[in-house]
Amino acid sequence: MKFGYFDDRNREYVITRPDTPLPWINYLGCQEYFGILSNNAGGYSFYRDARLRRLTRYRYNNAPLDCSGRYIYLRDGDSGKFWSPSWQPTRHDAEDYSCRHGMGYSIIGSTFAGIEAHTRYFVPLDENLEIWQLTVTNRRAARARIPVFAGIEFCLWDAQDDATNFQRNYNIGEVEVVDGVIYHKTEYRERRNHFAFFACSEPTSGFDTARDAFLGPYRGWDSPAAVAAGQLTNSIAHGWAPIGAHQVNLDLAAGETRQIIFLLGYQENANDRKFSPPGSQTINKESVRPVIAKYLSAKEADAAFDRLREHWDKLLGIFQVNTPDAHTNRMVNIWNAYQCMATFNMSRSASSFESGIGRGLGFRDSNQDLLGFVHMVPVRARQRILDLASTQLATGGAYHQYQPLTKRGNNDIGSGFNDDPHWLILGVAAYLKETGDWSILDEPVPYDNQPGSEAPLYDHLQRSFRYTLERLGPHRLPLIGRADWNDCLNLNCFSNTPGMSFQTTTNQDGKVAESVFIAGLFVHASRELAAIASHLGRSSDASRCLAEAEKMEQTVKEHGWDGEWFLRAYDHFGHKIGSKECDEGRIFIESNGFCVLAGIGLDDGRAATALAAVREHLATKHGLVVHQPAYTRYYLHLGEISSYPPGYKENAGIFCHVNPWVMIAETRLGHGDQAYDYYLRINPSAREEISEVHRCEPYVYAQMIAGKDAPAFGEAKNSWLTGTAAWNYCAIAQWILGVRPTYDGLEIAPVVPVSWPGFTATRVFRGVVYKIAVERKGAGNRIALTIDGVPVKGNVVPPPKDGRKEVSITAVLN
Ligand code: GLC
Ligand code: GLC
């Protein structure tokens, strides 16, 4: 069952009934000002940091779900009936409801009682504000008097404090209302130099800034008292809950259309220019007034919207494909790339499942996010790499997370996740391959943000490499530390106290438990680092990396192989995890996917054997599960993984992030059909038809789909902010379609289904447009290339030396 459809031409998903199984959201903003927006206008906004600079309030895990948002109410001046064109919060039976989620904007609306209303929400490029463009049309035969109300609830900036510290917060709320603009200035009198504003393009007939006055006692956003009464009360908030609400009385002739623009935004003033007149407590509005005036003009708003569309045309234009499969086309061309932008911007901070409070940017997560983002805005990727590397510790380890606003490592969670350092190597390698900008390696970058500790980025990569070598366990495999990629395999935790964090507790000295997954990651990262070193002419570094990678590969074969698949780990007692000897958790996806991806066992049949075992034990119709059998009870020595009921999350759920590792591994064996089959199983568009089972948005990946051990097998959770976005993008773009940036040029190496007659692609790479046509002549993956009609050897195409900006490539598969 579907709740909408894809409009690929407009790059939109169109939701046609409002009662989606869960709020289906979109992101507004792609630079510093952001919002999440559901198909029913729920959501909230923030500036840069969803915890520390939250503009509007949102109540997670409320009933009904998705409560509080950017709400508009229309009221029939004659009957007194009122409703919301976005369905929520009033939930009227409107006609023609639709929500078009597009690239950085959403258009939500419906028709009720002959009044059609749609709101286009978006954030203009380079601005810290959002525009709501409301269009109201009177479809009645007669004149209609329609008072319009728009309301938001301000958050007192720090979202954590806002939700907990009521004894203070009920006293501090402050606003100003000047020239029809509502300014939220809580804490501006003291240490903050920023405020929010809520403005309206039309002359208003009233406002409210006190929630109690607007809603009335014991009433919710579904039936505000002032809307029911048809008149806002011009309340000024003093403490309690400041809100912003405007009223515009429309008088529409039959057939008449009117537009109203609302602006919600964030503004900072220099510390010595906060007040005007100086010495007063009144906000100095000199800098914000022109911004407000500009975007209250419909012409400027439309122009800003056009710029946003052009921006996305350009970003998405970097890689476009035309394959025989619609699901592949729309995910690659539109939604998967779009999701990569969201994960780059948000890391794991703000979504319907991430409260914006809990986590900052993850070191491991953000490095992986780069893999799917780097081609879109390389300069931002560059900065992100330098920021991440600045939180690396002198040991080569890394803070597991950092706060985007301060860019400091997060002490609460600390370090000791022994896979972390290697993701930096992969992030940097991806950047170098995409851009050829080798200068980044010379950038001086501090350790732990300590001034004076700066060393070239290249030195950081070397420390990442050495970090593992200095932390080998009894089998010479890497010690796991707190956890590797699987945050829930906590082999040194041993926690039996409720509420104790699995992530930060270590009750063992950590000298025994080892990770075969990190071993695979180390092999892969060290070979990347070797390629980087030899490009720089540092041949002794290169040979050392290669030698250690080789040694680790042998160790994996000796101590990390279980006979039919790769082991997952050794626990604190030196016992195997992910082995046929185990009762539960006999085979795991991560080590098998990553070891083969790293090339281990391609030469001796182990890789093929391991992937056959993965297929046999882990593949389900909804995707590949993390392990089998699921853990049916809590094991003290395994940690959080066994805390989840079977089939959920890391306990044998379909963790979508790791599925593409197996897809890539399959392509390394030349298995295009198998790789593609796995790709489609979790492709959200391919799952659209079963939206009542999948339940999350059909246009973006979710972190997890419940595994076959779960009662809700096939149900997705935690959509949007997941490494799944970047890795699936890499799997399909670089390994299945095989259009792959390398240090020396663009490699063309498709491993596609045998039934495909071919496909075409356009890839902008280092400023050159590559037009690629792949034709299948035989059933294999052997490839013969011609460039601009001339046959060439090999399959890497460097940017033309003569400065041409376009090359045509034909690739014949045999
Ligand atoms: C979450 C975390 C990620 C981790 C994964 C598996 O997605 O953000 O860092 O690797 O879970 O535990
Ligand atoms: C929980 C989740 C895991 C996530 C981690 C982040 O353990 O199960 O997916 O990576 O939290 O802290």
Side-chain angles (χ1 to χ4, degrees):
M1 173 184 172
K2 302 203 288 182
F3 292 79
Y5 61 90
F6 285 94
D7 177 348
D8 292 334
R9 265 191 48 175
N10 284 307
R11 296 177 170 150
E12 292 171 339
Y13 189 81
V14 188
I15 299 162
T16 50
R17 49 183 286 185
D19 57 338
T20 46
L22 294 165
W24 285 2
I25 69 163
N26 192 11
Y27 284 89
L28 305 179
C30 56
Q31 292 160 315
E32 303 210 301
Y33 182 100
F34 298 104
I36 65 178
L37 175 62
S38 76
N39 55 310
N40 297 313
Y44 61 96
S45 302
F46 57 95
Y47 172 73
R48 287 183 59 190
D49 187 315
R51 168 163 177 187
L52 298 174
R53 289 280 193 284
R54 193 170 303 191
L55 269 78
T56 56
R57 211 170 253 168
Y58 188 74
R59 292 174 184 79
Y60 277 92
N61 194 14
N62 212 324
L65 263 185
D66 193 32
C67 180
S68 52
R70 302 169 180 85
Y71 292 143
I72 286 175
Y73 306 84
L74 269 51
R75 185 173 184 279
D76 189 316
D78 298 322
S79 72
K81 263 194 200 152
F82 64 91
W83 68 97
S84 288
S86 57
W87 192 62
Q88 277 271 57
T90 64
R91 294 189 297 280
H92 278 73
D93 284 328
E95 302 149 40
D96 294 336
Y97 161 88
S98 73
C99 165
R100 294 185 162 264
H101 281 322
M103 304 287 104
Y105 67 88
S106 297
I107 304 167
I108 309 174
S110 61
T111 301
F112 186 81
I115 306 298
E116 183 187 324
H118 286 96
T119 313
R120 182 165 81 183
Y121 298 92
F122 69 101
V123 174
L125 292 171
D126 306 317
E127 300 290 0
N128 295 320
L129 57 86
E130 63 192 61
I131 298 181
W132 314 358
Q133 266 179 299
L134 168 69
T135 309
V136 185
T137 304
N138 178 8
R139 299 268 175 232
R140 297 177 187 169
R143 204 166 191 87
R145 289 188 303 121
I146 307 289
V148 174
F149 307 86
I152 42 111
E153 183 168 349
F154 291 113
C155 178
L156 308 185
W157 304 116
D158 179 333
Q160 163 93 18
D161 196 66
D162 183 71
T164 47
N165 194 4
F166 305 111
Q167 59 80 26
R168 171 177 161 85
N169 294 344
Y170 285 163
N171 296 289
I172 61 175
E174 287 191 296
V175 298
E176 283 177 32
V177 183
V178 181
D179 298 335
V181 181
I182 294 167
Y183 296 90
H184 174 228
K185 61 168 190 176
T186 300
E187 292 190 342
Y188 190 74
R189 57 165 52 243
E190 28 122 346
R191 292 157 297 176
R192 295 188 184 274
N193 66 347
H194 53 86
F195 57 90
F197 55 89
F198 189 46
C200 173
S201 62
E202 305 307 299
T204 54
S205 311
F207 66 87
D208 268 312
T209 65
R211 191 179 68 193
D212 283 354
F214 179 70
L215 295 184
Y218 295 94
R219 296 172 70 122
W221 288 87
D222 55 341
S223 65
V227 174
Q231 183 57 54
L232 299 189
T233 70
N234 293 359
S235 59
I236 295 292
H238 300 283
W240 297 111
I243 62 158
H246 289 296
Q247 173 173 357
V248 176
N249 291 337
L250 292 183
D251 191 350
L252 299 170
E256 186 181 352
T257 297
R258 286 277 296 279
Q259 195 181 103
I260 308 174
I261 295 177
F262 298 98
L263 296 184
L264 173 65
Y266 170 93
Q267 183 76 11
E268 288 177 1
N269 273 338
N271 274 331
D272 56 351
R273 311 199 48 168
K274 276 170 64 171
F275 303 106
S276 171
S280 75
Q281 292 290 296
T282 311
I283 297 173
N284 177 356
K285 304 179 184 72
E286 208 177 289
S287 64
V288 79
R289 263 198 207 104
V291 185
I292 295 177
K294 178 172 178 189
Y295 291 102
L296 287 180
S297 130
K299 221 175 107 199
E300 291 288 354
D302 289 343
F305 184 74
D306 293 344
R307 277 197 300 277
L308 183 67
R309 289 209 84 143
E310 284 158 25
H311 176 72
W312 276 105
D313 285 349
K314 204 166 153 212
L315 287 180
L316 298 180
I318 296 170
F319 188 50
Q320 288 288 300
V321 300
N322 187 6
T323 76
D325 178 58
H327 304 302
T328 305
N329 296 345
R330 69 166 64 105
M331 289 310 291
V332 172
N333 294 343
I334 307 169
W335 291 100
N336 195 355
Y338 183 63
Q339 187 179 1
C340 286
M341 174 66 86
T343 57
F344 175 84
N345 283 325
M346 300 288 131
S347 189
R348 307 297 172 262
S349 70
S351 71
S352 308
F353 299 83
E354 299 279 10
S355 66
I357 290 175
R359 297 197 253 173
L361 273 74
F363 191 90
R364 166 209 293 149
D365 294 338
S366 288
N367 273 302
Q368 290 175 84
D369 293 342
L370 285 169
L371 307 178
F373 171 81
V374 64
H375 66 290
M376 285 195 268
V377 194
V379 285
R380 293 186 69 201
R382 188 181 208 273
Q383 189 56 50
R384 176 64 56 77
I385 288 170
L386 299 176
D387 290 347
L388 283 164
S390 310
T391 68
Q392 189 176 27
L393 300 164
T395 58
Y399 278 106
H400 196 49
Q401 289 156 13
Y402 76 93
Q403 220 47 52
L405 209 58
T406 60
K407 297 191 177 174
R408 298 277 152 162
N410 183 347
N411 273 311
D412 294 344
I413 180 138
S415 67
F417 295 76
N418 283 353
D419 63 317
D420 271 336
H422 297 294
W423 300 113
L424 181 65
I425 300 178
L426 298 199
V428 172
Y431 175 79
L432 293 172
K433 289 175 187 173
E434 182 65 37
T435 61
D437 168 23
W438 293 87
S439 74
I440 193 175
L441 295 173
D442 301 326
E443 286 287 339
V445 182
Y447 287 98
D448 193 7
N449 274 300
Q450 293 306 312
S453 67
E454 290 80 1
L457 179 62
Y458 179 77
D459 188 66
H460 285 249
L461 304 186
Q462 287 293 336
R463 288 202 202 182
S464 289
F465 166 72
R466 289 200 299 269
Y467 179 86
T468 292
L469 295 177
E470 288 160 8
R471 285 166 186 75
L472 297 178
H475 300 92
R476 312 294 295 159
L477 288 163
L479 290 170
I480 197 167
R482 281 185 166 155
D484 59 22
W485 172 87
N486 189 331
D487 272 348
C488 299
L489 197 57
N490 316 114
L491 302 182
N492 295 304
C493 179
F494 287 80
S495 170
N496 52 18
T497 308
M500 188 184 247
S501 160
F502 288 107
Q503 315 291 302
T504 55
T505 306
T506 31
N507 283 320
Q508 301 297 345
D509 63 7
K511 295 276 164 32
V512 181
E514 299 166 294
S515 164
V516 178
F517 166 75
I518 300 183
L521 177 61
F522 174 85
V523 169
H524 185 62
S526 301
R527 289 187 176 139
E528 291 285 12
L529 187 54
I532 293 170
S534 49
H535 191 279
L536 297 179
R538 296 175 182 255
S539 52
S540 66
D541 286 357
S543 342
R544 170 135 196 253
C545 290
L546 288 178
E548 292 295 348
E550 177 58 32
K551 206 150 109 199
M552 188 64 79
E553 179 161 348
Q554 291 315 318
T555 307
V556 169
K557 288 181 175 176
E558 199 173 326
H559 297 293
W561 179 249
D562 197 49
E564 281 174 79
W565 55 77
F566 293 99
L567 290 174
R568 177 63 177 84
Y570 286 93
D571 68 17
H572 168 71
F573 307 102
H575 297 145
K576 293 172 183 171
I577 295 178
S579 157
K580 56 180 177 296
E581 294 166 18
C582 305
D583 293 332
E584 301 188 325
R586 251 176 249 136
I587 171 171
F588 276 72
I589 193 170
E590 303 99 315
S591 47
N592 287 292
F594 222 92
C595 285
V596 179
L597 180 156
I600 303 177
L602 288 178
D603 53 347
D604 62 6
R606 280 185 169 92
T609 307
L611 292 192
V614 164
R615 187 154 56 241
E616 183 184 340
H617 299 287
L618 303 182
T620 78
K621 63 179 178 181
H622 294 295
L624 297 155
V625 298
V626 176
H627 61 264
Q628 279 295 295
Y631 294 113
T632 53
R633 57 193 178 87
Y634 178 58
Y635 295 95
L636 188 62
H637 67 292
L638 298 180
E640 189 172 0
I641 191 168
S642 59
S643 76
Y644 284 111
Y648 291 102
K649 294 277 282 181
E650 283 88 340
N651 187 12
I654 296 159
F655 220 91
C656 295
H657 183 143
V658 285
N659 278 232
W661 297 348
V662 177
M663 298 169 206
I664 296 171
E666 291 286 359
T667 66
R668 297 220 56 184
L669 285 164
H671 300 162
D673 282 320
Q674 187 59 68
Y676 190 67
D677 170 20
Y678 290 151
Y679 173 74
L680 279 186
R681 291 187 204 201
I682 63 167
N683 177 307
S685 161
R687 298 173 63 76
E688 186 196 15
E689 293 284 353
I690 53 161
S691 286
E692 79 286 7
V693 176
H694 185 77
R695 301 186 80 229
C696 280
E697 296 91 334
Y699 40 92
V700 289
Y701 286 96
Q703 180 203 54
M704 191 224 37
I705 298 172
K708 59 185 175 186
D709 302 287
F713 182 34
E715 179 188 17
K717 286 191 189 126
N718 200 357
S719 53
W720 280 98
L721 302 184
T722 160
T724 310
W727 274 108
N728 272 288
Y729 193 78
C730 288
I732 186 71
Q734 302 184 3
W735 296 92
I736 298 177
L737 300 177
V739 180
R740 190 154 68 226
T742 70
Y743 298 110
D744 304 314
L746 196 62
E747 183 170 358
I748 314 292
V751 183
V752 291
V754 174
S755 63
W756 279 20
F759 66 93
T760 58
T762 306
R763 178 66 154 88
V764 183
F765 176 70
R766 301 192 196 171
V768 175
V769 181
Y770 287 72
K771 300 235 160 177
I772 305 156
V774 176
E775 280 168 42
R776 187 178 276 301
K777 293 248 165 85
N781 303 310
R782 261 179 304 119
I783 184 155
L785 282 196
T786 59
I787 302 179
D788 294 323
V790 183
V792 291
K793 280 218 183 90
N795 61 350
V796 176
V797 187
K801 293 217 170 55
D802 60 7
R804 265 176 311 140
K805 287 293 169 217
E806 191 174 312
V807 278
S808 281
I809 301 171
T810 312
V812 173
L813 287 181
N814 254 303

